[in-house]
Amino acid sequence: SEIKTFTPGTVANVSCGFDVLGFALDSPGDEMVLRRTVEKTVKITRIDGYDLPKEPLRNVAGVALLAMLKEYRGDAGFEIEIYKKIKPGSGIGSSAASAAGVVVAANKLLGEPFSKTELVRFAMEGERLASGVAHADNIAPAIFGGFTLVRSYAPLDIITLDTPSELFATVIHPQIEVRTADAREILKKNVLLKDAIKQWGNVGGLVAGLMKSDYGLISRSLEDAIVEPIRSILIPAFQEVKLKSKEAGALGGGISGSGPSIFMLSKGEEAAQQVKMAMADVYEKVGIDFDIHLSKVN
Ligand code: HSE
Protein backbone atom coordinates (compact mmCIF):
# COMPACT_ATOMS: atom_id res chain seq x y z
CA SER A 1 0.00 0.00 0.00
CA GLU A 2 1.44 3.22 -1.26
CA ILE A 3 0.03 6.68 -1.84
CA LYS A 4 1.20 9.71 -3.79
CA THR A 5 0.20 13.21 -2.71
CA PHE A 6 0.38 16.79 -3.89
CA THR A 7 0.11 19.47 -1.19
CA PRO A 8 -0.10 23.09 -2.28
CA GLY A 9 1.69 26.12 -1.00
CA THR A 10 -0.41 28.48 1.10
CA VAL A 11 -0.60 32.18 1.89
CA ALA A 12 -0.89 32.73 5.63
CA ASN A 13 -1.98 35.84 7.56
CA VAL A 14 -3.61 37.45 4.49
CA SER A 15 -2.69 40.91 5.80
CA CYS A 16 -4.87 41.39 8.86
CA GLY A 17 -5.17 37.78 10.07
CA PHE A 18 -1.80 37.02 11.67
CA ASP A 19 -1.73 33.32 12.64
CA VAL A 20 -5.44 32.85 11.88
CA LEU A 21 -6.20 33.38 8.16
CA GLY A 22 -4.79 31.49 5.19
CA PHE A 23 -5.60 30.20 1.73
CA ALA A 24 -4.29 27.49 -0.60
CA LEU A 25 -2.58 28.15 -3.93
CA ASP A 26 -2.90 25.97 -7.06
CA SER A 27 0.87 25.75 -7.34
CA PRO A 28 3.65 25.23 -6.48
CA GLY A 29 3.18 22.24 -4.20
CA ASP A 30 5.19 19.45 -2.60
CA GLU A 31 4.85 15.88 -3.77
CA MET A 32 5.28 12.90 -1.58
CA VAL A 33 5.14 9.12 -1.76
CA LEU A 34 4.15 7.31 1.41
CA ARG A 35 4.47 3.56 1.85
CA ARG A 36 3.33 1.40 4.76
CA THR A 37 6.05 -0.86 5.99
CA VAL A 38 6.19 -4.02 8.08
CA GLU A 39 8.69 -2.32 10.37
CA LYS A 40 6.94 -0.06 12.88
CA THR A 41 9.17 2.93 12.29
CA VAL A 42 9.16 6.17 10.32
CA LYS A 43 11.89 6.39 7.70
CA ILE A 44 12.54 9.22 5.26
CA THR A 45 14.21 7.46 2.37
CA ARG A 46 14.50 10.31 -0.08
CA ILE A 47 14.31 14.11 -0.24
CA ASP A 48 14.55 15.73 -3.65
CA GLY A 49 14.79 19.43 -4.39
CA TYR A 50 16.28 20.91 -1.24
CA ASP A 51 18.84 19.84 1.30
CA LEU A 52 16.76 18.98 4.38
CA PRO A 53 17.39 16.60 7.28
CA LYS A 54 16.29 13.00 6.81
CA GLU A 55 16.20 12.12 10.50
CA PRO A 56 12.46 11.98 11.30
CA LEU A 57 12.82 13.99 14.52
CA ARG A 58 14.56 16.82 12.69
CA ASN A 59 12.23 16.85 9.68
CA VAL A 60 8.82 18.60 9.69
CA ALA A 61 7.12 15.70 7.90
CA GLY A 62 8.78 13.23 10.27
CA VAL A 63 7.65 14.94 13.46
CA ALA A 64 4.12 15.45 12.10
CA LEU A 65 3.80 11.77 11.27
CA LEU A 66 5.26 10.72 14.63
CA ALA A 67 2.75 12.98 16.41
CA MET A 68 -0.01 11.19 14.55
CA LEU A 69 1.29 7.69 15.26
CA LYS A 70 1.49 8.51 18.94
CA GLU A 71 -2.30 8.77 18.97
CA TYR A 72 -2.97 5.90 16.57
CA ARG A 73 -4.38 2.85 18.30
CA GLY A 74 -2.39 0.27 16.49
CA ASP A 75 1.00 -0.39 15.05
CA ALA A 76 2.11 1.20 11.84
CA GLY A 77 5.32 2.12 10.11
CA PHE A 78 5.98 4.21 7.04
CA GLU A 79 8.57 5.11 4.46
CA ILE A 80 8.45 8.64 3.09
CA GLU A 81 9.81 10.06 -0.15
CA ILE A 82 9.62 13.85 -0.38
CA TYR A 83 9.81 15.74 -3.67
CA LYS A 84 10.09 19.33 -2.50
CA LYS A 85 8.99 21.95 -4.96
CA ILE A 86 8.30 24.77 -2.50
CA LYS A 87 11.45 26.52 -1.48
CA PRO A 88 11.98 26.63 2.30
CA GLY A 89 11.87 30.15 3.68
CA SER A 90 9.90 31.54 0.73
CA GLY A 91 6.79 32.51 2.70
CA ILE A 92 4.28 30.23 1.04
CA GLY A 93 4.07 27.47 3.59
CA SER A 94 6.89 25.20 2.55
CA SER A 95 7.13 23.44 5.91
CA ALA A 96 3.34 23.29 6.21
CA ALA A 97 2.99 21.55 2.84
CA SER A 98 5.33 18.75 3.86
CA ALA A 99 3.82 18.35 7.33
CA ALA A 100 0.24 18.46 6.03
CA GLY A 101 0.90 16.17 3.07
CA VAL A 102 2.34 13.38 5.13
CA VAL A 103 -0.45 13.22 7.72
CA VAL A 104 -3.18 13.35 5.07
CA ALA A 105 -1.50 10.51 3.18
CA ALA A 106 -0.89 8.40 6.29
CA ASN A 107 -4.46 8.89 7.44
CA LYS A 108 -5.69 7.57 4.08
CA LEU A 109 -3.43 4.52 4.27
CA LEU A 110 -4.72 3.79 7.78
CA GLY A 111 -8.39 3.99 6.74
CA GLU A 112 -9.00 7.57 7.91
CA PRO A 113 -9.14 7.18 11.68
CA PHE A 114 -8.53 10.92 12.21
CA SER A 115 -10.59 14.02 11.39
CA LYS A 116 -9.15 16.90 9.38
CA THR A 117 -8.91 19.03 12.50
CA GLU A 118 -6.92 16.29 14.20
CA LEU A 119 -4.62 16.12 11.18
CA VAL A 120 -4.05 19.87 11.50
CA ARG A 121 -3.08 19.35 15.12
CA PHE A 122 -0.47 16.70 14.17
CA ALA A 123 0.93 18.75 11.29
CA MET A 124 1.30 21.75 13.60
CA GLU A 125 4.13 19.84 15.30
CA GLY A 126 6.03 20.32 12.03
CA GLU A 127 5.51 24.07 12.34
CA ARG A 128 6.70 23.97 15.92
CA LEU A 129 9.92 22.39 14.71
CA ALA A 130 10.31 24.80 11.78
CA SER A 131 9.51 28.09 13.46
CA GLY A 132 9.36 27.50 17.19
CA VAL A 133 5.61 28.09 17.29
CA ALA A 134 2.88 25.61 16.33
CA HIS A 135 0.86 27.98 14.17
CA ALA A 136 -1.89 26.52 11.96
CA ASP A 137 -2.63 29.26 9.44
CA ASN A 138 -0.68 27.51 6.64
CA ILE A 139 -1.55 23.97 7.75
CA ALA A 140 -5.32 24.53 7.85
CA PRO A 141 -5.71 25.59 4.18
CA ALA A 142 -3.16 22.95 3.10
CA ILE A 143 -5.41 20.28 4.65
CA PHE A 144 -8.90 21.72 4.18
CA GLY A 145 -8.22 23.53 0.88
CA GLY A 146 -9.55 26.98 0.02
CA PHE A 147 -9.65 29.80 2.53
CA THR A 148 -9.61 29.03 6.25
CA LEU A 149 -9.88 30.76 9.59
CA VAL A 150 -8.32 29.36 12.75
CA ARG A 151 -11.08 30.67 15.00
CA SER A 152 -9.36 29.26 18.06
CA TYR A 153 -6.17 27.35 18.90
CA ALA A 154 -7.30 25.86 22.20
CA PRO A 155 -9.48 24.09 21.45
CA LEU A 156 -8.53 23.98 17.78
CA ASP A 157 -11.48 25.30 15.76
CA ILE A 158 -11.05 25.67 12.01
CA ILE A 159 -13.65 27.36 9.85
CA THR A 160 -13.66 27.05 6.06
CA LEU A 161 -14.71 30.25 4.33
CA ASP A 162 -16.57 30.65 1.06
CA THR A 163 -14.76 32.75 -1.50
CA PRO A 164 -16.03 34.80 -4.44
CA SER A 165 -15.87 33.01 -7.80
CA GLU A 166 -13.57 35.58 -9.38
CA LEU A 167 -10.91 35.86 -6.71
CA PHE A 168 -7.31 35.38 -7.89
CA ALA A 169 -3.99 35.61 -6.09
CA THR A 170 -0.63 36.64 -7.47
CA VAL A 171 2.40 35.76 -5.38
CA ILE A 172 5.88 37.04 -6.12
CA HIS A 173 8.90 35.52 -4.44
CA PRO A 174 12.14 37.51 -4.38
CA GLN A 175 15.06 35.09 -4.19
CA ILE A 176 16.07 35.77 -0.63
CA GLU A 177 15.33 33.61 2.38
CA VAL A 178 13.52 34.85 5.48
CA ARG A 179 13.36 32.35 8.30
CA THR A 180 9.94 32.38 9.96
CA ALA A 181 11.60 32.05 13.37
CA ASP A 182 13.55 35.29 12.70
CA ALA A 183 10.52 37.08 11.27
CA ARG A 184 8.60 36.20 14.47
CA GLU A 185 11.44 37.19 16.74
CA ILE A 186 11.35 40.83 15.59
CA LEU A 187 7.63 41.28 16.36
CA LYS A 188 6.55 43.24 19.38
CA LYS A 189 4.93 41.18 22.12
CA ASN A 190 2.30 43.82 22.91
CA VAL A 191 -0.28 45.47 20.71
CA LEU A 192 -1.80 48.89 21.22
CA LEU A 193 -5.55 48.88 21.67
CA LYS A 194 -5.98 51.37 18.83
CA ASP A 195 -4.12 49.00 16.47
CA ALA A 196 -6.08 46.01 17.73
CA ILE A 197 -9.32 47.82 16.96
CA LYS A 198 -8.20 48.41 13.37
CA GLN A 199 -7.09 44.82 13.05
CA TRP A 200 -10.24 43.07 14.26
CA GLY A 201 -12.34 45.47 12.22
CA ASN A 202 -10.41 44.38 9.16
CA VAL A 203 -10.48 40.65 9.99
CA GLY A 204 -14.24 40.83 10.36
CA GLY A 205 -14.48 42.89 7.18
CA LEU A 206 -12.35 40.50 5.17
CA VAL A 207 -14.30 37.44 6.29
CA ALA A 208 -17.61 39.19 5.59
CA GLY A 209 -16.32 40.38 2.20
CA LEU A 210 -15.32 36.83 1.23
CA MET A 211 -18.62 35.33 2.32
CA LYS A 212 -20.68 38.06 0.60
CA SER A 213 -18.51 38.26 -2.53
CA ASP A 214 -18.08 41.94 -1.82
CA TYR A 215 -14.82 42.81 -3.57
CA GLY A 216 -14.89 46.41 -2.34
CA LEU A 217 -15.11 45.24 1.25
CA ILE A 218 -12.31 42.72 0.68
CA SER A 219 -10.18 45.50 -0.75
CA ARG A 220 -10.81 47.88 2.17
CA SER A 221 -10.05 45.14 4.69
CA LEU A 222 -6.65 44.09 3.30
CA GLU A 223 -4.72 46.16 5.77
CA ASP A 224 -2.33 45.15 8.55
CA ALA A 225 -1.70 47.62 11.35
CA ILE A 226 0.41 45.30 13.48
CA VAL A 227 2.80 42.95 11.67
CA GLU A 228 3.42 44.43 8.24
CA PRO A 229 4.92 47.72 9.43
CA ILE A 230 7.65 45.73 11.20
CA ARG A 231 8.28 42.89 8.79
CA SER A 232 8.09 44.82 5.55
CA ILE A 233 11.57 46.22 6.14
CA LEU A 234 12.94 42.71 5.47
CA ILE A 235 11.43 42.66 1.99
CA PRO A 236 13.02 44.42 -0.96
CA ALA A 237 10.87 47.09 -2.66
CA PHE A 238 7.83 46.04 -0.65
CA GLN A 239 5.98 49.37 -0.75
CA GLU A 240 6.73 49.78 -4.43
CA VAL A 241 5.36 46.32 -5.29
CA LYS A 242 2.20 47.07 -3.33
CA LEU A 243 1.73 50.48 -4.87
CA LYS A 244 2.26 49.35 -8.48
CA SER A 245 -0.01 46.33 -7.95
CA LYS A 246 -2.81 48.53 -6.71
CA GLU A 247 -2.31 50.89 -9.63
CA ALA A 248 -2.58 47.84 -11.90
CA GLY A 249 -5.94 47.00 -10.34
CA ALA A 250 -5.21 44.75 -7.37
CA LEU A 251 -7.74 44.71 -4.53
CA GLY A 252 -4.86 44.75 -2.08
CA GLY A 253 -2.39 42.41 -0.48
CA GLY A 254 0.66 42.25 1.73
CA ILE A 255 3.34 39.91 2.97
CA SER A 256 2.69 36.24 2.31
CA GLY A 257 3.15 34.47 5.64
CA SER A 258 6.39 35.63 7.19
CA GLY A 259 7.78 36.68 3.80
CA PRO A 260 9.68 37.42 1.68
CA SER A 261 6.91 36.56 -0.79
CA ILE A 262 4.28 39.22 -1.42
CA PHE A 263 0.69 38.31 -2.36
CA MET A 264 -1.92 40.42 -4.09
CA LEU A 265 -5.59 39.59 -4.57
CA SER A 266 -7.48 40.60 -7.70
CA LYS A 267 -10.96 40.33 -9.10
CA GLY A 268 -10.78 38.28 -12.30
CA GLU A 269 -7.93 36.52 -14.03
CA GLU A 270 -7.27 39.36 -16.43
CA ALA A 271 -6.73 41.82 -13.60
CA ALA A 272 -4.49 39.29 -11.86
CA GLN A 273 -2.39 39.03 -15.05
CA GLN A 274 -1.98 42.81 -15.09
CA VAL A 275 -0.96 42.74 -11.45
CA LYS A 276 1.49 39.94 -12.18
CA MET A 277 3.18 42.08 -14.82
CA ALA A 278 3.27 45.12 -12.54
CA MET A 279 4.86 43.13 -9.70
CA ALA A 280 7.43 41.51 -12.01
CA ASP A 281 8.23 44.90 -13.48
CA VAL A 282 9.21 46.34 -10.10
CA TYR A 283 11.70 43.55 -9.40
CA GLU A 284 13.06 43.60 -12.95
CA LYS A 285 13.77 47.30 -12.60
CA VAL A 286 15.55 46.99 -9.27
CA GLY A 287 17.36 43.87 -10.46
CA ILE A 288 16.04 41.31 -7.98
CA ASP A 289 15.61 37.70 -9.12
CA PHE A 290 12.13 36.35 -8.45
CA ASP A 291 9.54 33.82 -9.39
CA ILE A 292 5.87 34.58 -9.63
CA HIS A 293 2.70 32.50 -9.54
CA LEU A 294 -0.92 33.14 -10.26
CA SER A 295 -3.64 31.05 -8.61
CA LYS A 296 -7.36 30.97 -8.37
CA VAL A 297 -8.52 31.22 -4.75
CA ASN A 298 -11.14 28.56 -4.11
N1 HSE B 1 1.53 33.23 10.76
C1 HSE B 1 2.88 32.81 10.51
C2 HSE B 1 3.80 34.00 10.65
C3 HSE B 1 2.97 32.25 9.12
O1 HSE B 1 3.48 35.04 10.08
O2 HSE B 1 4.81 33.91 11.34
C4 HSE B 1 4.34 31.79 8.73
O3 HSE B 1 4.26 31.30 7.39
Side-chain angles (χ1 to χ4, degrees):
S1 44
E2 170 181 305
I3 201 165
K4 233 179 156 169
T5 58
F6 169 89
T7 317
T10 46
V11 170
N13 300 339
V14 203
S15 285
C16 49
F18 181 72
D19 276 3
V20 300
L21 290 176
F23 64 84
L25 299 167
D26 299 332
S27 69
D30 285 355
E31 287 157 26
M32 227 174 260
V33 176
L34 197 73
R35 223 168 277 121
R36 252 192 107 160
T37 53
V38 184
E39 263 178 88
K40 311 296 176 215
T41 54
V42 167
K43 232 192 220 150
I44 300 171
T45 53
R46 178 169 179 173
I47 302 178
D48 261 28
Y50 295 95
D51 189 22
L52 295 166
K54 277 197 185 140
E55 303 91 292
L57 281 170
R58 292 184 53 223
N59 180 287
V60 297
V63 296
L65 184 53
L66 288 167
M68 174 170 163
L69 291 178
K70 224 187 211 169
E71 289 188 29
Y72 178 63
R73 295 164 196 269
D75 283 331
F78 294 94
E79 244 173 47
I80 315 170
E81 290 172 21
I82 304 173
Y83 299 86
K84 266 213 92 64
K85 304 282 163 71
I86 311 174
K87 194 171 183 181
S90 58
I92 52 166
S94 177
S95 51
S98 294
V102 77
V103 294
V104 169
N107 195 42
K108 281 228 172 86
L109 287 177
L110 293 174
E112 311 216 306
F114 297 108
S115 71
K116 282 185 178 173
T117 301
E118 287 174 307
L119 296 183
V120 170
R121 188 160 52 75
F122 304 140
M124 282 165 68
E125 291 308 313
E127 297 294 58
R128 193 191 306 280
L129 177 70
S131 73
V133 177
H135 60 90
D137 48 343
N138 292 104
I139 299 282
I143 288 181
F144 283 79
F147 214 120
T148 54
L149 166 71
V150 184
R151 206 271 317 154
S152 153
Y153 273 87
L156 195 57
D157 186 6
I158 290 154
I159 317 295
T160 57
L161 304 171
D162 293 339
T163 48
S165 56
E166 288 288 283
L167 196 63
F168 285 81
T170 313
V171 183
I172 193 163
H173 170 219
Q175 303 294 300
I176 57 168
E177 187 183 339
V178 172
R179 290 183 58 242
T180 298
D182 298 337
R184 295 185 77 93
E185 189 59 40
I186 61 172
L187 298 178
K188 296 199 188 100
K189 297 287 168 281
N190 296 303
V191 168
L192 291 177
L193 185 59
K194 73 170 176 52
D195 292 335
I197 292 168
K198 272 196 200 162
Q199 204 83 350
W200 56 56
N202 282 324
V203 172
L206 181 53
V207 170
L210 291 170
M211 305 290 287
K212 291 168 48 160
S213 293
D214 184 336
Y215 293 95
L217 178 54
I218 292 170
S219 176
R220 299 201 295 286
S221 308
L222 286 168
E223 201 188 29
D224 175 3
I226 296 171
V227 177
E228 182 180 296
I230 298 170
R231 281 185 175 170
S232 54
I233 50 170
L234 301 174
I235 301 169
F238 177 75
Q239 299 301 344
E240 180 79 355
V241 170
K242 234 176 122 174
L243 188 77
K244 295 291 181 199
S245 304
K246 284 210 178 161
E247 282 173 11
L251 297 167
I255 304 169
S256 174
S258 56
S261 290
I262 304 171
F263 80 98
M264 286 288 152
L265 294 180
S266 303
K267 180 185 178 185
E269 193 167 1
E270 222 167 283
Q273 286 289 359
Q274 295 293 322
V275 170
K276 185 177 168 186
M277 285 194 291
M279 293 171 103
D281 193 50
V282 174
Y283 278 164
E284 269 157 18
K285 281 195 177 127
V286 289
I288 293 166
D289 287 339
F290 63 90
D291 45 53
I292 188 158
H293 297 275
L294 199 155
S295 276
K296 195 170 185 321
V297 180
N298 53 10

